[in-house]
Amino acid sequence: MSARKFGLNLVMVVAVASLFTGLWAWYNQPLSAPDWPEQISGYSFSPFRLHQNPQQAHYPSEDEVRADLELVAAQTDSIRTYSVDGVLGEIPRLAEESGLRVTLGIWISNDLAANEWQIEKGIEIARRERSVVRVIVGNEALFREEVSAEQMAGYLDRVRSALKVPVTTAEQWHIWEKYPELARHVDLIAAHVLPYWEFIPQEQSVDYVLQRARELKKTFPKKPLLLAEVGWPSNGRAQGRAEANQADQALYLRKLVNALNGNGYKYFIIEAFDQPWKASDEGSVGAYWGVFNAERQMKFPMTGPVVEIPQWRLLASASGVLALLALALLMIDGSALRQRGRTFLTIIAFLVATMLVWIAYDFSQQYANWFSITVGLLLALGALGVMIVLLTEAHELAETVWKRQRQRPFLPVTGDSGYRPKVSVHVPCYNEPPGMVIQTLDALSRLDYADFEVLVIDNNTRDPEVWEPLQAHCEKLGPRFRFFHVAPLAGFKGGALNYALQHTAADAEIIAVIDSDYCVAPEWLKQMAPHFADPHIAVVQSPQDYRDEQESLFKKLCYCEYKGFFHIGMVTRNDRDAIIQHGTMTMTRRSVLDELKWAEWCITEDAELGLRIFEKGLSAAYSEHSFGKGLMPDTFIDFKKQRFRWAYGAIQIIKRHLSSLLFGKGSQLKRGQRYHFIAGWLPWIADGLNIFFTFGALLWSAAMIIVPNRVDPPLMLFALPPLALFLFKLGKILFLYRRAVGVRMRDAIAAAIAGLALSHTIAKAVLYGFATRSIPFFRTPKMRSNHGLLVALNEAREEVFIMLLLWGAALGISLTQKQGGLDVLFWIIVLLVQSLPYLAALIMALLSARPRLAAHEDKLPD
């Protein structure tokens, strides 16, 4: 690399790194707020730590409670409790050691027997402990509708008559307005004002609290006011414009406590410490109301500016290092890329690295249990996998669009000079329409090539009326054409080709294979066989192409989808001598094929043979020029079966050649070859993993619908990676088909629809491939008649079912989560986007049921 080019690359990397660092800095602009005062009025105090839970009678020890009391005593002289169960009943005794006053809580629920025990125990403690300065009977029991106002009044009167300290109950502010008569049974008004739950954004929340306080004082002028709960969560779902994050918690509380102190209000901040156990009742946000986290660390600075992510500089540095590592791998062989391509890859590398670091940070802020750890590990692997796929997709895009020139062009050899070896053309067929195969044989008979033979191998066709016309036609075409009918013959297509190899002319140097529906151009052998003059070339490949794209709108969409692989993927792979050998329009050196044979265990024996050829250190040549056209599947089910076979065979190959692909073990595979084989199949593997995401999304959505107040939308980090990959792949298809294949936007959209329609089929094939060793070979029928609408719908029944489930989940969430914020909206969007591949499958199934029309009558919409 020249010094000038190195300098340009360095400037570009520094510029992109500065841009992303600037984005981190912009997101974390310092925000001002008053400093935390030396003393606050009080804390709501629940001393449970990680993995402790009052619902499971797992309480902290007295020493743990004592340590927590000493910690809060540095900021306040008053705490509020909620129950007298277990060690909670010892808090007043322990609080006196730290000089703390206690507002004792008595828990009231719909369990009347438990209420009796709580009241008796609470009265006993309040009489005994000097630290108890007031008693709160019940916490939002009326709001939860667990007792009536009359029952609560009775409990209050009973406790007041037994104690000398003030007694009240704690309810949300609007419950006091709903039951003003309750004021006659209390010594003070203990109201909860929590703007977060009322969808009030942080910026307006302090004024909101002060306004509610003024209204309560006006409504109950003769009763002292205690703001029994004021606070803000640092994590969890948003409530409309009220976002739960650490920065908003810090800004709100620092402004609020100063305002309340300045106005002389008594209050309790909910709460001193995060309580992870509350997530089961209140959703994930219930765990994050503490000023201290569960490890007893202060969650935000008490003084100075507030930022969204205090550790953002460290995270920006980590994302930069990760981006440079990814970029180094992407640019190992990037000398042929134009500057735009290198810039594009640099931006993508930094974007992917930033997303990974942000996801890791966001997940690190969650409290872990066995479930979240398991989900987190799976999520980490999934996110990493998605980002690797995204990088490989970006790499292919850059090499397709911004490469200066193709590194290994294999143009058709014109003229009469050149290497002209004898070619044996093998045509395997099974139960094919005789008329179609006869067209293929007639095209072969017109080859402009001096020395070739054609072997037609029909394996296992039972009906003589199918194979005997082919035998007769071969006899009619002359001695070049030989016909073999073998039944039974094991090994499917690979077995048939191995049988033909045994009967190949002794002097044939090249074996060519075409499918039984392919009509080849006369110049095929003449212009492509000369490439074998290079002794290192073992395979010469031309693209699959089709001649029936004008037959129906369904086939037009299929045709657009096929073109991407042969005019984008195969071209970039050829530059690194890493093409996929496909089973038609392929030529292989006879000596190599005699040694390696076709693999009869693999249903994609062609791609498997190509990989073994590369493992031996031999090369392949690919030409974009089309020399033959075949027929596409006529129905959606056949389109799916073909892709299922390709994807399943890919997994078979991966499992058999894994050590060679990953480590080059026992092979001569080059680094670029290993990269392309792995990277080329990664998107299919990602489709397989996406099934788990879809069903996980449906289960989570069902829980959101059934218990909307307890189950929050998934964290965005669950959905962001697959959503980003989907959008990138869609944009890549639309861009590349326009730029590299040269088609119109409508054709690019058609390719995207056809490709999306296969996502579920590919996913199933991948999962079957990893779970099983082999499945029966199934051919792709050609020249089948169209079928009716109901049959077409049946062909896409799985996809339609999942699509309806996703739509139903989106609708159910929109109806049950009416007060949801951006996180609910985002999750609904995720569900709808996730349904698009299944909708595409339905569209393709319906199109395949349409009657075939004349070319001028069946056009793609503009």
Side-chain angles (χ1 to χ4, degrees), residues 82 106-111 114-116 118-119 136-141 144 146-147 152 155 169:
Y82 289 84
I106 295 175
W107 189 258
I108 298 297
S109 67
N110 54 8
D111 186 337
N115 292 348
E116 289 299 315
Q118 283 275 333
I119 290 172
I136 295 180
V137 182
N139 184 71
E140 298 188 354
R144 295 192 304 273
E146 293 182 345
V147 296
M152 180 58 71
Y155 288 147
T169 186

Side-chain angles (χ1 to χ4, degrees), residues 455-683:
L455 275 62
V456 181
I457 172 66
D458 182 281
N459 62 317
N460 300 312
T461 300
R462 296 181 179 180
D463 188 354
E465 293 186 5
V466 174
W467 61 266
E468 286 180 349
L470 303 181
Q471 183 180 37
H473 197 70
C474 285
E475 293 172 356
K476 177 182 175 182
L477 290 174
R480 284 184 188 270
F481 289 76
R482 290 188 284 159
F483 180 85
F484 302 88
H485 173 71
V486 185
L489 180 61
F492 310 110
K493 183 178 178 181
L497 291 173
N498 283 332
Y499 181 91
L501 188 62
Q502 299 171 21
H503 295 81
T504 298
D507 58 342
E509 298 181 46
I510 307 300
I511 306 297
V513 178
I514 63 169
D515 285 345
S516 58
D517 59 313
Y518 264 72
C519 291
V520 300
E523 66 275 13
W524 173 42
L525 298 182
K526 185 176 182 179
Q527 295 188 1
M528 293 306 294
H531 289 299
F532 283 101
D534 182 346
H536 293 288
I537 296 291
V539 174
V540 174
Q541 185 77 58
S542 302
Q544 291 183 200
D545 202 357
Y546 303 94
R547 63 181 185 269
D548 54 344
E549 73 274 12
Q550 298 297 330
E551 199 171 87
S552 68
L553 183 56
F554 167 73
K555 289 194 173 185
K556 282 185 179 181
L557 268 66
C558 293
Y559 186 66
C560 291
E561 194 272 339
Y562 283 126
K563 290 183 73 173
F565 176 73
F566 296 105
H567 295 279
I568 297 174
M570 287 286 278
V571 173
T572 57
R573 296 175 73 105
N574 182 61
D575 280 344
R576 289 191 177 84
D577 197 9
I579 65 169
I580 294 285
Q581 185 175 7
H582 47 82
T584 190
M585 303 307 298
T586 184
M587 289 185 272
T588 308
R589 194 177 294 275
R590 165 75 176 279
S591 59
V592 174
L593 201 47
D594 280 339
E595 177 187 354
L596 299 181
K597 300 295 190 298
W598 299 95
E600 298 181 16
W601 58 267
C602 184
I603 64 173
T604 50
E605 72 293 322
D606 39 20
E608 196 276 340
L609 173 65
L611 180 55
R612 280 189 289 138
I613 288 172
F614 289 135
E615 287 176 341
K616 289 184 66 65
L618 298 171
S619 293
Y622 179 75
S623 172
E624 287 185 73
H625 190 81
S626 174
F627 288 98
K629 294 177 181 288
L631 299 175
M632 287 177 282
D634 291 283
T635 65
F636 183 53
I637 191 66
D638 292 328
F639 187 47
K640 294 203 299 180
K641 284 181 178 179
Q642 182 189 63
R643 197 57 55 92
F644 186 98
R645 178 166 59 85
W646 293 356
Y648 185 92
I651 303 304
Q652 283 185 302
I653 295 170
I654 288 174
K655 292 196 299 184
R656 179 66 67 95
H657 296 266
L658 187 61
S659 62
S660 174
L661 289 170
L662 291 180
F663 311 111
K665 186 177 180 181
S667 77
Q668 299 181 50
L669 285 176
K670 301 181 182 68
R671 191 165 49 194
Q673 291 172 325
R674 288 159 51 197
Y675 166 79
H676 275 290
F677 273 92
I678 294 172
W681 286 325
L682 274 178

Side-chain angles (χ1 to χ4, degrees), residues 447-459:
L447 281 171
D448 181 15
Y449 198 75
D451 198 4
F452 74 96
E453 66 171 0
V454 176
L455 275 62
V456 181
I457 172 66
D458 182 281
N459 62 317

